[in-house]
């Protein structure tokens, strides 16, 4: 059967998907052998490139253990790989070529590492790929996206990089600065739009075959990428977009992975089993070598016929939330470009802080009905907050927060008022600190509400810590942490000892809450009592 025949059968859906895994690895031969046996036991196949820097004995061990497995192939050439080098792409291409030749029935080619493991069954994975005739590869515009957060960006492409930045640092940077000083830049191939994204892709056979033809016919593009920096984040992402219509590409990876604040991949352990299964992915990276129980459970799962998985997909936001607890190094100082700015000595900023946004919005609506003070709800928390056109500074949460004082001055000017009310989440202690450090007069009204399990569950879903399919037992385990976090936010506000800090409480009567409202808004006792009696103020 020719590759073309396979492609026709695949397109017509006459058999289930068959995956050829492309494995780049450099250590732990026993784990590689186990991984290969596990993946091929379900009927799939694997092509292996084992780094030439690794001991020959380790490679011989892998070959000896897998030589009689017809679903295992090895790259025809082993090369030494280095981070950020073209060698990683070349090693991948060698493994891909071996897989295409050895496995004519393979319909999909899935890039994995030795740290990856399946988090769904093989049956589920095959059915998923059968139902979605697409390529899965992160491919964002190199220039317009914010995929690169820090460091070189355009410099990755317009200069030639011959040396490894980690092992030949002096040569790497000497070469870079020499080219920059001499103005020795080069253009990107004119007909190619450079893309960037994760190197963990899953591509259909016809895409892989088109890509291999491209590598033979477009020597100019190959020469260009061979001397770019970190080409494993750009080569496949660019070429696939160049060859395949956008409607046939889903810009995401089917491998679940996360990174810490320091840019390091998050490692998963035995207690992450339920979290991994609930992610909208087929594999996860990276599994700890010590997580033997997790590996065993995932291995059994992959060989099973299980088809039902509750996908809540809250892994990344949950990790960010949990690892953020206990951090004390928050930034309270003004940014350097704001150090000389002020809202104005004569102005008064009134802040309503409440975790239950609907409660603060009800009170804000009542205040608007009984006073002439302009007010805006949660402008630093909700993207869709209704705001006047201020020339673009109001366009996104990021801009509003970065230029907070400039934004507030513009709002005072827009409303032609020296008083302004805004709402903040109780988590926004940094914003409160910033505004209270200003020369203007700032007041804070904290609304303390009861925290039922239903509210905390809804809050977890709203902020992405849980999904509609998150199991009840998993949510129950999370609620105490969320409750403690909300209480911690209130304690932070109390410990900050802000001047003009007032409180109203759900547990208090309207008569008890009215004096705080009167002082905060500078309104009569009668008006304050009316506001405190706002119908259904604290109802969820």
């Amino acid at each position: 059967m020719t590759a073309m025949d396979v492609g026709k059968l695949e397109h017509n859906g006459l058999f289930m998907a068959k995956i050829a895994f492309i494995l780049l690895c450099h250590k732990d031969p026993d784990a590689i052998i186990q991984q290969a046996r596990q993946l091929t036991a379900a009927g799939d196949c694997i092509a292996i490139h084992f780094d030439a820097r690794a001991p020959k004995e380790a490679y011989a061990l892998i070959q000896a253990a897998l030589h009689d497995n017809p679903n295992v192939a090895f790259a025809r050439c082993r090369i030494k790989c280095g981070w950020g080098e073209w060698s990683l792409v070349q090693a991948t291409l060698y493994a891909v070529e071996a897989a295409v030749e050895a496995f004519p029935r393979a319909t999909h080619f899935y890039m994995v590492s030795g740290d990856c493991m399946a988090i769904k069954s093989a049956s589920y994975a095959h059915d998923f790929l059968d139902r979605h005739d697409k390529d899965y590869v992160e491919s964002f515009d190199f220039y317009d996206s914010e995929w690169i957060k820090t460091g070189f960006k355009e410099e990755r492409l317009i200069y030639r990089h011959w040396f490894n930045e980690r092992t030949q640092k002096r040569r790497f940077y000497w070469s870079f600065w020499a080219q920059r000083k001499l103005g020795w830049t080069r253009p990107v191939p004119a007909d190619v739009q450079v893309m960037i994204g994760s190197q963990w892709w899953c591509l259909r056979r016809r895409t892989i075959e088109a890509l291999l033809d491209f590598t033979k016919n477009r020597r100019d593009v190959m020469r260009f990428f061979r001397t770019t920096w970190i080409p494993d984040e750009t080569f496949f992402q660019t070429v696939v977009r160049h060859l395949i219509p956008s409607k046939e590409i889903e810009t995401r990876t089917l491998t679940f992975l996360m990174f810490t604040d320091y840019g390091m991949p998050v490692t998963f352990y035995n207690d992450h089993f339920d979290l991994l299964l609930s992610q909208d992915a087929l594999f996860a990276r990276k599994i700890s070598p010590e997580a033997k129980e997790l590996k065993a459970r995932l291995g059994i799962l992959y060989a099973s016929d299980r088809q039902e998985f509750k996908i809540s997909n809250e892994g990344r936001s949950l990790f960010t939330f949990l690892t953020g607890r206990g951090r004390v190094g928050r930034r309270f100082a003004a940014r350097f470009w704001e150090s000389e700015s002020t809202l104005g000595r004569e102005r008064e900023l009134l802040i309503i802080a409440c975790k239950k946004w609907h409660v603060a919005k009800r009170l804000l609506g009542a205040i608007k009905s009984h006073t002439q003070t302009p007010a805006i709800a949660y402008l630093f928390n909700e993207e869709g907050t209704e705001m006047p056109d201020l020339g673009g500074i109001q366009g996104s949460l990021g801009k509003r927060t970065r230029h907070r004082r400039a934004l507030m001055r513009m709002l005072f000017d827009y409303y032609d008022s020296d008083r302004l009310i805004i709402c903040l989440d109780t988590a926004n202690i940094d914003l409160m600190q910033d505004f209270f450090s200003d020369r203007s007069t700032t007041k804070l009204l904290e609304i303390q509400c009861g925290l039922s399990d239903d509210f905390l569950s809804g809050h977890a879903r709203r902020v992405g810590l849980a999904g509609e399919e998150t199991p009840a037992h998993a949510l129950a385990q999370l609620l105490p942490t969320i409750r403690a976090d909300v209480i911690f936010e209130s304690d932070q506000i109390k410990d900050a000892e802000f001047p003009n800090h007032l409180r109203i409480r759900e547990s208090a009567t309207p008569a008890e809450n009215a004096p705080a409202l009167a002082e905060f808004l500078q309104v009569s006792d009668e008006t304050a009592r009316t506001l405190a009696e706002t119908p259904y103020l604290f109802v969820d």
Side-chain angles (χ1 to χ4, degrees), residues 457-477:
S457 298
H459 173 69
R461 294 187 179 95
R462 281 191 297 276
V463 299
L465 299 177
E468 295 301 326
E469 299 297 332
T470 298
H473 71 276
L475 193 56
Q477 290 177 333

Side-chain angles (χ1 to χ4, degrees), residues 21-71:
F21 292 100
I22 308 301
L23 173 62
L24 261 59
C25 48
H26 64 281
K27 61 180 180 180
D28 202 350
D30 291 333
I32 293 168
I33 294 167
Q34 181 183 2
Q35 184 181 27
R37 286 173 173 167
Q38 212 165 61
L39 294 175
T40 57
D44 292 313
C45 38
I46 188 168
I48 300 172
H49 179 277
F50 193 66
D51 197 327
R53 295 182 189 274
K56 293 181 180 179
E57 297 78 13
Y59 184 53
L61 180 64
I62 297 171
Q63 284 186 308
L66 300 174
H67 79 280
D68 59 348
N69 188 329
N71 287 341

Side-chain angles (χ1 to χ4, degrees), residues 521-533:
L521 297 167
Q522 294 296 295
V523 295
S524 67
D525 292 341
E526 182 181 357
T527 299
R529 179 64 181 258
T530 301
L531 294 173
E533 293 175 343

Side-chain angles (χ1 to χ4, degrees), residues 49-239:
H49 179 277
F50 193 66
D51 197 327
R53 295 182 189 274
K56 293 181 180 179
E57 297 78 13
Y59 184 53
L61 180 64
I62 297 171
Q63 284 186 308
L66 300 174
H67 79 280
D68 59 348
N69 188 329
N71 287 341
V72 176
F74 293 91
R76 62 179 176 82
C77 181
R78 286 176 64 209
I79 60 174
K80 295 179 179 179
C81 297
W83 184 87
E85 293 180 4
W86 171 256
S87 55
L88 287 173
V89 176
Q90 187 61 68
T92 305
L93 290 173
Y94 283 147
V96 167
E97 290 169 353
V100 168
E101 182 179 348
F103 311 123
R105 290 183 176 274
T107 61
H108 294 78
F109 295 76
Y110 196 127
M111 179 82 174
V112 294
S113 75
D115 297 321
C116 295
M117 284 203 72
I119 56 175
K120 300 290 188 294
S121 67
S123 174
Y124 179 96
H126 295 154
D127 184 62
F128 178 91
L129 294 175
D130 275 335
R131 286 185 287 108
H132 302 90
D133 185 23
K134 291 184 177 182
D135 295 308
Y136 291 86
V137 56
E138 278 192 351
S139 51
F140 303 99
D141 186 274
F142 185 89
Y143 296 98
D144 293 340
S145 72
E146 296 184 359
W147 205 86
I148 299 175
K149 302 296 184 184
T150 60
F152 287 173
K153 187 169 185 178
E154 185 182 28
E155 294 87 348
R156 291 191 185 193
L157 307 179
I158 64 174
Y159 297 110
R160 298 160 181 84
H161 301 277
W162 294 289
F163 305 104
N164 186 289
E165 192 269 344
R166 293 189 175 181
T167 61
Q168 299 172 293
K169 191 175 290 289
R170 292 183 64 181
R171 290 181 177 179
F172 178 89
Y173 286 104
W174 175 86
S175 169
F176 166 72
W177 285 112
Q179 292 179 73
R180 183 167 179 172
K181 186 174 182 179
L182 294 170
W184 192 27
T185 61
R186 59 176 178 177
V188 175
D191 64 329
V192 171
Q193 179 184 5
V194 180
M195 312 297 285
I196 191 167
S198 165
Q199 65 269 50
W200 310 110
W201 40 256
C202 177
L203 305 176
R204 298 165 298 175
R205 186 180 194 96
R206 57 181 175 270
T207 301
I208 285 290
E209 291 176 341
L211 186 148
L212 292 178
D213 287 340
F214 182 90
T215 65
K216 297 171 185 175
N217 298 326
R218 291 299 302 269
R219 297 297 182 184
D220 59 323
V221 176
M222 299 300 285
R223 280 194 302 272
F224 172 79
F225 275 105
R226 281 194 182 97
T227 51
T228 58
W229 193 42
I230 321 182
D232 55 312
E233 294 180 350
T234 54
F235 176 75
F236 291 98
Q237 298 78 355
T238 298
V239 176

